[in-house]
């Protein structure tokens, strides 16, 4: 088993090898709502390929992804685009990310590429699935509002479709991911230490054993635990919607014809409340019992989580954490498993282009049943689920078994390039 400290030291998306002759064009893009993003287009020297591989993550840096060197070695172009929300998802509205992708896709079409392969890695899988599901629909059927109620007119957006869709180590979307990891034992959103001990996965009475010893949770307890995770998500949704409604109320007061006649003190209070954005502080978001109980949806994963390799309880209570600080609209659109519109099991139903799902079976945070769900719900006739044995989320080898095999990233390339070439 890989030592936790070794996993911490690794760079998740190390850009380790690239032929110096590969051409690199830095591309600056403006979405239709004027938001800015950028990417890097990589093309082999002395060759202008007609097929390009497209990459984006909601907030991760994907201009230096590990697939760039092997794809350009094989004669493909690669476009890694970073979103407007790079490294900060506090106010991330997933529907606006689609405008960034559309700008990148239009650029690639204008540059002469005839085929675009959507390669969604990790959170990029659900993001590109969300985009493709909207792009392939008639404009009149596309989304017109965000979960927070803001208008987002995709009916007028030019959204070129991808020709192939590949999901590599892809979770089911930030919202669905959050439903797995949010701590249902929180009883007061304003007190991060308040605990309902009956539903605390870190309570020994519920089956917890200190890391790295595996825990074991009763399945009836686990089923109720999952229901309570959904209930907490609904509770956070209500808080978010209350904040949005309060903000809208005072903005409307500010615009009211009678506003000018109000006393100065009242006008000042209304103006301040109309301009104030409340933020949600969301504690304890690393509490998936599958982290510590390897008999839950078994795979070749080690005990633990990629977000807290030393011990998940540290990630659950320590600094940082997923969705720790969010605007109400950002929570509803991105991390809410009960409101987000970007859930891959829902969007993949609309994706009919050839689809390949690649599961790394040593991944601590993505599980076999989830990948089977994606395969089952995919709308493509040509669809395939492949497994990379003994590979973790970042496609590093897991344990002694993994080190006996070829590098997982090399195995990935040998798996997906033939699949692409059979179809283009």
């Amino acid at each position: 088993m890989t030592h936790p400290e070794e996993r911490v030291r690794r760079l998740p998306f190390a850009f380790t090898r690239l032929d110096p002759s590969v051409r690199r064009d830095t591309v600056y893009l403006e979405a239709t709502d004027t938001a800015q993003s950028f990417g890097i287009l990589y093309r082999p020297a002395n060759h202008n390929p007609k097929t390009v591989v497209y990459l984006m993550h909601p907030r991760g840096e994907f201009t230096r992804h590990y697939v760039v060197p092997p794809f350009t070695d094989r004669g493909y172009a690669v476009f890694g685009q970073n979103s407007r929300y790079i490294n900060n998802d506090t106010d991330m509205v997933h529907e606006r990310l689609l405008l960034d992708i559309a700008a990148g896709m239009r650029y690639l079409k204008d540059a002469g590429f005839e085929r675009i392969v959507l390669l969604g890695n990790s959170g990029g899988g659900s993001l590109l699935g969300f985009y493709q599901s909207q792009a392939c629909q008639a404009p009149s059927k596309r989304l017109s509002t965000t979960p927070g109620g803001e208008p987002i007119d995709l009916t007028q957006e030019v959204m070129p479709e991808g020709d192939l869709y590949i999901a590599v180590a892809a979770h089911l979307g930030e919202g669905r991911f959050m439903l797995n990891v949010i701590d249902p034992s929180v009883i007061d959103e304003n007190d991060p230490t308040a605990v309902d001990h009956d539903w605390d996965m870190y309570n020994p009475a519920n089956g917890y054993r200190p890391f790295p010893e595996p825990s074991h949770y009763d399945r009836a307890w686990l089923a109720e635990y999952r229901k309570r995770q959904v209930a907490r998500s609904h509770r956070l949704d209500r808080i978010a919607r209350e904040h949005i409604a309060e903000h809208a109320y005072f903005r409307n007061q500010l615009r009211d014809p009678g506003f000018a006649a109000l006393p100065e003190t009242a006008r000042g209070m209304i103006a301040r409340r109309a301009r104030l954005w409340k933020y949600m502080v969301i504690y304890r978001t690393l509490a998936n019992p599958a982290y510590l109980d390897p008999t839950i949806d078994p795979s070749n994963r080690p005990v633990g989580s990629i977000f807290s390799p030393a011990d998940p309880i540290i990630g659950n209570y320590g600094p940082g954490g997923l969705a720790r600080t969010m605007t109400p609209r950002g929570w509803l659109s991105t991390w809410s498993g009960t409101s987000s519109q970007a859930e891959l099991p829902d969007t993949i139903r609309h994706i009919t282009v050839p689809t390949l799902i690649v599961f790394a079976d040593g991944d601590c945070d993505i599980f076999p049943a989830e990948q089977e769900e994606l395969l089952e719900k995919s709308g493509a006739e040509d669809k395939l689920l492949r497994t990379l044995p003994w590979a973790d989320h970042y496609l590093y080898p897991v344990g002694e078994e993994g080190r006996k095999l070829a590098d997982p990233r090399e195995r990935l390339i040998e798996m997906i390039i033939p699949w692409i070439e059979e179809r283009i």
Side-chain angles (χ1 to χ4, degrees):
M1 180 180 294
T2 304
H3 193 277
E5 291 182 0
E6 182 180 343
R7 296 206 300 271
V8 171
R9 287 195 298 269
R10 286 171 170 168
L11 294 174
F13 297 107
F15 198 68
T16 55
R17 181 183 60 82
L18 184 64
D19 186 333
S21 69
V22 169
R23 291 171 291 169
R24 306 167 177 87
D25 296 326
T26 302
V27 179
Y28 299 98
L29 297 164
E30 182 172 281
T32 52
D33 64 353
T34 74
Q36 309 295 300
S37 63
F38 71 94
I40 298 178
L41 175 63
Y42 298 89
R43 289 175 294 169
N46 304 317
H47 175 52
N48 291 312
K50 295 299 183 182
T51 299
V52 60
V53 176
Y54 179 92
L55 300 159
M56 184 190 277
H57 188 277
R59 66 190 178 282
E61 211 292 329
F62 264 28
T63 66
R64 296 179 295 163
H65 196 277
Y66 57 77
V67 302
V68 173
F71 266 110
T72 51
D73 283 350
R74 305 289 185 93
Y76 290 88
V78 181
F79 184 57
Q81 183 182 354
N82 288 336
S83 82
R84 67 182 71 187
Y85 300 114
I86 184 171
N87 294 329
N88 189 346
D89 63 4
T90 301
D91 189 37
M92 180 183 289
V93 176
H94 251 71
E95 291 74 14
R96 299 203 177 277
L97 283 167
L98 304 192
L99 304 180
D100 293 350
I101 299 173
M105 296 287 280
R106 291 193 298 269
Y107 162 78
L108 294 174
K109 286 296 186 182
D110 290 343
F113 290 103
E114 298 174 358
R115 296 170 295 272
I116 301 176
V117 179
L118 299 176
L119 201 164
N121 178 211
S122 188
S126 54
L127 174 59
L128 297 190
F130 190 26
Y131 173 85
Q132 181 74 0
S133 73
Q134 291 294 301
C136 68
Q137 295 192 56
S140 62
K141 294 183 178 181
R142 294 176 186 162
L143 294 173
S144 58
T145 59
T146 71
E150 294 178 286
I152 178 77
D153 190 6
L154 297 180
T155 65
Q156 301 301 312
E157 190 75 9
V158 177
M159 304 178 72
E161 297 180 41
D163 297 284
L164 302 175
Y165 171 73
I166 303 174
V168 176
H171 56 63
L172 304 187
E174 274 83 353
R176 277 288 295 269
F177 186 90
M178 181 59 67
L179 281 185
N180 281 340
V181 300
I182 198 162
D183 192 335
S185 69
V186 170
I187 56 177
D188 183 348
E189 297 297 338
N190 297 311
D191 182 355
T193 63
V195 179
D196 182 340
H197 296 287
D198 289 341
W199 303 106
D200 180 9
M201 69 169 272
Y202 298 107
N203 179 0
N206 296 326
Y208 170 71
R209 297 294 178 268
F211 183 87
E213 182 182 349
S215 302
H216 182 73
Y217 301 99
D218 177 78
R219 293 307 186 260
W221 179 91
L222 179 64
E224 181 64 23
Y225 185 94
R226 296 300 191 198
K227 292 179 182 178
R228 289 171 181 264
Q229 287 179 300
V230 173
R232 186 181 175 203
S233 183
H234 280 301
R235 183 172 76 203
L236 290 165
D237 286 359
R238 289 193 295 272
I239 293 170
R241 296 187 192 284
E242 288 169 2
H243 289 339
I244 290 171
E246 180 184 16
H247 187 226
Y249 172 81
F250 285 104
R251 283 172 63 87
N252 290 333
Q253 290 288 303
L254 195 62
R255 301 186 185 103
D256 190 274
F259 175 77
L262 295 174
E264 182 177 350
T265 302
R267 294 200 309 271
M269 184 275 293
I270 291 172
R272 294 178 190 187
R273 298 288 290 273
R275 296 184 176 101
L276 178 67
W277 276 42
K278 287 187 175 180
Y279 285 78
M280 299 171 65
V281 182
I282 303 165
Y283 294 100
R284 289 162 46 193
T285 56
L286 208 67
N288 187 350
Y291 288 152
L292 300 180
D293 185 345
T295 68
I296 299 172
D297 204 354
S299 64
N300 288 329
R301 67 185 185 270
V303 175
S305 165
I306 62 173
F307 296 104
S308 185
D311 186 345
I313 197 172
I314 298 172
N316 199 45
Y317 283 87
L322 300 175
R324 180 57 54 87
T325 304
M326 298 295 299
T327 62
R329 69 180 186 180
W331 163 260
L332 292 170
S333 177
T334 293
W335 284 111
S336 170
T338 43
S339 288
S340 175
Q341 300 179 126
E343 291 191 7
L344 189 52
D346 293 337
T347 61
I348 203 169
R349 298 176 189 271
H350 301 287
I351 299 174
T352 57
V353 297
T355 295
L356 174 64
I357 301 165
V358 181
F359 169 54
D361 78 353
D363 193 329
C364 294
D365 284 78
I366 296 172
F367 305 96
E370 297 173 336
Q371 306 300 289
E372 293 288 351
E373 180 182 358
L374 293 179
L375 182 68
E376 177 187 352
K377 293 182 176 178
S378 168
E381 291 185 6
D382 178 0
K383 57 184 178 180
L384 180 65
L385 171 61
R386 296 287 301 276
T387 297
L388 277 176
W390 301 104
D392 73 8
H393 182 71
Y394 300 114
L395 302 199
Y396 289 107
V398 171
E400 292 301 320
E401 296 87 347
R403 281 185 280 273
K404 293 176 184 177
L405 301 172
D407 182 85
R409 296 179 179 185
E410 294 177 3
R411 288 189 275 139
L412 173 71
I413 296 302
E414 294 303 322
M415 180 182 293
I416 64 178
I417 286 186
W419 183 87
I420 291 172
E421 292 178 345
E422 289 173 3
R423 288 158 180 80
I424 64 172

